[in-house]
Amino acid sequence: TNGRPTTFGLKKYLSPENTPYGYTTNTETNAVKFRLGEILLLYAEAQNEIVGPDASVYQALTDIRARVGMPPLPAGLTKDQMRAKIRKERRIELAFEECLRYYDLKRWRVAGTVLNAVTQADGLLPYKFEDKFYTWPLPQIEIDKSKGILLQNPAYQ
């Protein structure tokens, strides 16, 4: 119901039977905080990093892909190949969900490379991700309470 300049919009989480159908605060659609697809992807990622692409990693990804009619991944992937597949699957499956992509990029330590590649030619403002953004500054009150045990992260001194 809300117009967008590009005429493109996101229908994720919107239910046509709810009134009004659109990006308003009047929708009756529940907010999703954590869902099975994310749990399966987190499991697949962790299991792949610990033991490699075993049957349970393939099964988790097959379960996610099967519900939308996508074929299972090919057998015999290496740990690195499976990591790339899981990361792509997370990008697609969790699109537009609670900044998950941003924190994935930070967790994988590739945020600088990916985010700094966004340019104004992409239709967005250029992004400036600095290495210090991988950590957060410690609140000064917590440093004070620790009586010298906690030290500020070096990038924020």
Side-chain angles (χ1 to χ4, degrees):
T1 57
N2 295 348
R4 292 159 305 277
T6 62
T7 69
F8 290 99
L10 185 66
K11 288 187 176 182
K12 193 170 195 174
Y13 303 130
L14 300 178
S15 300
E17 67 273 6
N18 290 337
T19 304
Y21 179 61
Y23 299 93
T24 68
T25 57
N26 296 330
T27 184
E28 297 171 12
T29 304
N30 294 325
V32 176
K33 292 297 180 190
F34 207 57
R35 59 187 184 84
L36 182 59
E38 184 179 1
I39 294 168
L40 291 172
L41 286 165
L42 286 171
Y43 173 82
E45 182 178 348
Q47 184 71 357
N48 185 59
E49 293 303 320
I50 294 169
V51 299
D54 67 1
S56 68
V57 173
Y58 278 96
Q59 187 60 55
L61 293 171
T62 298
D63 290 347
I64 291 169
R65 296 168 65 86
R67 69 183 212 295
V68 292
M70 292 180 68
L73 295 175
L77 296 175
T78 66
K79 185 177 186 174
D80 290 338
Q81 290 170 327
M82 181 59 81
R83 181 183 300 121
K85 295 286 187 187
I86 292 168
R87 288 180 179 186
K88 182 176 181 184
E89 203 72 32
R90 283 189 67 82
R91 181 178 183 180
I92 295 166
E93 179 70 21
L94 304 173
F96 304 103
E97 292 188 24
E98 303 276 336
C99 297
L100 293 175
R101 176 78 173 151
Y102 176 76
Y103 291 109
D104 282 347
L105 295 174
K106 283 182 70 171
R107 185 176 73 249
W108 301 328
R109 306 283 300 179
V110 298
T113 304
V114 174
L115 296 175
N116 290 336
V118 175
T119 66
Q120 201 160 4
D122 297 318
L124 304 169
L125 295 174
Y127 196 90
K128 176 70 170 104
F129 187 91
E130 300 175 32
D131 284 343
K132 75 178 191 177
F133 296 162
Y134 285 115
T135 60
W136 290 22
L138 298 175
Q140 187 61 49
I141 194 167
E142 298 302 323
I143 294 171
D144 295 343
K145 285 193 297 188
S146 77
K147 297 183 181 5
I149 295 172
L150 288 178
L151 301 175
Q152 185 58 269
N153 286 326
Y156 294 97
Q157 290 180 348

